[in-house]
Amino acid sequence: MRARLSLLVLALAQLVIALDYNIVYVALPGIGTGLGFSAHDLQWVVSAYVVTSGGFLLLGGRTADLLGRRRTFVAAALVYAGSSLVGGVAQSAGTLVAVRAVQGIGGSLLFPATLSLINTVYEEGPARNRALAVWGAAGAGGLCLGSLLGGVLVGAFGWRSVFFVNVPVAAAMAWAGRSLFPADGPRPGGPRPGARCFDVTGALCGTGGITLLVFTLVHAPEAGWTSPSVLPAAGLAAALLALFAVAESRARDPLVPARLFAHRGLAAAMAVTALYSATFSSLPYFLTLYFQNVRGYGAFATGLAFLVPAVVTALGTQAGERAVAAVGVRRMLVGGLVAGAAGAAALGAALTADGPYGLLLPGIVLLGLGQGAAWTGMWIAAASGTAPEDQGVASGMASTSLQVGGAVGLALLVALAGGSGQDPPDDALLTGIRAAVFAVAAGLGCGGLLVLALRSTVTSR
């Protein structure tokens, strides 16, 4: 019973992380009007969360390893609760952007702490695979249901409700985590029992470099790749990441232990994770554009349109867990990516200006099954063969590749969609969306072939 309750709390944490990523989309018009955001600055309600959550993930993962997974989980949940409360009462645009940045830091602590708890509480094999499938189903549901929940809350209570809803949930998570999870003991592998040693130089350089890299990738598509605000950030990101590499090679207790760079399975899982985020995770953006701007759906109707993808993706995570036991991780990953490619191709062909929603369902179903299965498989691959004392930073490395891959993929797909519309203006948006969806199909197909070729790096069971 305790193990089941623990998994429920861990799944709830993943649901909160996923919801918090996109629940504010529907609330953006109300936020902009209520707090006086300019049209240009409103994007930072979303981007501030993306930049800090992506930049601090490595530090969050190592924090879980060094200070304890339960302590990090509880602290991150309390950060979520406190920042959400401040966001709900915010009276200025600057305050809300700062709140979203703090929420992103909370996410960068909570995600690797949650994942490393799963990978240490549950033994490698069927028990862990089952736990990852449940955790993955919660995340998949949160990503797709965020728009629906946001639409309901904003319609009934106003935009502030999308922040207030987090407060009791996150506070309950903190209490439950402290009550249910194993107590944090002395850090394994330290120079002496109970020692705590942070690689301060590596933490500063790595966090700063990744944060600036994600900022560049998020900001450049709108500001321009050669704009004065982008080029210096890109140059400083490169310099800090170079310093990070030097610092890690000399540190006694590095932020990212060198042994993890030699872990070929983890490196392959990180590549798959980046591809996953660049493709699967970018599709909701284009589907939202399609439903609202092409088909004219309102916020609530758009949320309802994501119900089927949410349910099917959740089912895909469960199917993925069973497929791992039957055919192994590598074959299951290949199947998930190929199913996603076929689904994206079918969806792209079905996108029309006035066709029925049912015409989209074959592509949506294939996409959802492939997405859910691949999500479960890539986290199983990332955790396999990693020592317990490294699970936090390994989770941070994989989730950092998830964030960076998503930023790169969305930037490229947005650029492709904007440059592909050669039809009359009324049809240009739909043409661009189709082009992006077909590009996702191509990327997933290539990813499936790549995983198929990695026989010795992606674990077989």
Side-chain angles (χ1 to χ4, degrees):
M1 178 60 72
R2 188 183 186 90
R4 291 182 179 179
L5 289 175
S6 296
L7 182 56
L8 177 63
V9 175
L10 293 167
L12 180 62
Q14 177 62 6
L15 179 67
V16 168
I17 294 170
L19 282 173
D20 224 42
Y21 181 80
N22 66 351
I23 195 173
V24 298
Y25 277 111
V26 177
L28 286 177
I31 292 172
T33 301
L35 297 184
F37 275 92
S38 68
H40 174 75
D41 292 336
L42 188 60
Q43 65 156 329
W44 285 103
V45 176
V46 175
S47 297
Y49 183 90
V50 174
V51 169
T52 54
S53 62
F56 282 76
L57 277 166
L58 272 183
L59 182 59
R62 198 56 174 162
T63 298
D65 287 335
L66 293 177
L67 298 187
R69 298 171 181 89
R70 188 178 75 171
R71 293 188 192 100
T72 304
F73 181 95
V74 171
L78 292 175
V79 168
Y80 255 107
S83 59
S84 296
L85 180 61
V86 175
V89 300
Q91 299 298 317
S92 69
T95 299
L96 192 65
V97 170
V99 162
R100 289 292 285 169
V102 173
Q103 284 184 323
I105 294 173
S108 71
L109 293 169
L110 189 61
F111 190 97
T114 300
L115 191 54
S116 61
L117 277 165
I118 290 176
N119 292 333
T120 52
V121 170
Y122 301 93
E123 185 178 355
E124 184 171 342
R128 183 188 294 175
N129 296 350
R130 194 173 305 113
L132 286 169
V134 173
W135 171 82
L143 285 173
C144 292
L145 291 176
S147 296
L148 176 59
L149 180 59
V152 171
L153 289 174
V154 171
F157 305 107
W159 67 264
R160 295 182 186 275
S161 61
V162 303
F163 293 94
F164 286 137
V165 72
N166 280 334
V167 178
V169 176
M173 280 166 38
W175 174 83
R178 181 162 182 79
S179 302
L180 292 171
F181 299 150
D184 296 315
R187 172 185 150 231
R192 61 185 183 278
R196 299 292 187 266
C197 181
F198 269 109
D199 171 20
V200 177
T201 303
L204 291 174
C205 293
T207 301
I210 295 171
T211 300
L212 285 169
L213 175 62
V214 177
F215 167 82
T216 301
L217 295 171
V218 168
H219 185 51
E222 180 178 354
W225 292 93
T226 59
S227 71
S229 59
V230 170
L231 284 179
L236 186 56
L240 286 173
L241 291 174
L243 288 174
F244 171 71
V246 173
E248 294 302 275
S249 67
R250 298 178 178 178
R252 184 190 69 180
D253 194 3
L255 184 68
V256 180
R259 58 185 173 272
L260 292 181
F261 289 109
H263 189 334
R264 297 176 65 190
L266 177 59
M270 289 173 63
V272 173
T273 303
L275 174 70
Y276 179 101
S277 187
T279 51
F280 281 123
S281 298
S282 296
L283 280 173
Y285 173 86
F286 294 100
L287 286 178
T288 300
L289 283 181
Y290 173 73
F291 289 134
Q292 292 190 337
N293 295 4
V294 176
R295 302 301 303 275
Y297 290 6
F300 183 69
T302 299
L304 285 176
F306 279 102
L307 268 178
V308 174
V311 172
V312 176
T313 303
L315 291 174
T317 62
Q318 306 305 305
E321 182 259 327
R322 291 174 173 81
V324 167
V327 301
V329 176
R330 184 175 63 87
R331 290 175 181 171
M332 190 275 289
L333 274 174
V334 172
L337 293 171
V338 170
L347 180 63
L351 294 175
T352 62
D354 54 6
Y357 180 79
L359 191 63
L360 308 178
L361 287 179
I364 285 175
V365 169
L366 273 174
L367 265 170
L369 290 174
Q371 181 175 357
W375 176 268
T376 300
M378 69 189 189
W379 295 115
I380 293 173
S384 297
T386 300
E389 64 268 22
D390 291 330
Q391 284 289 349
V393 71
S395 300
M397 291 170 69
S399 48
T400 296
S401 69
L402 187 77
Q403 291 283 357
V404 175
V408 172
L410 187 58
L412 293 175
L413 290 170
V414 167
L416 174 65
S420 63
Q422 303 300 321
D423 297 334
D426 289 345
D427 299 328
L429 177 60
L430 179 57
T431 301
I433 293 172
R434 279 202 201 106
V437 174
F438 283 130
V440 166
L444 289 171
C446 292
L449 293 174
L450 177 63
V451 174
L452 189 63
L454 296 177
R455 295 179 181 273
S456 61
T457 55
V458 179
T459 181
S460 61
R461 300 300 293 180

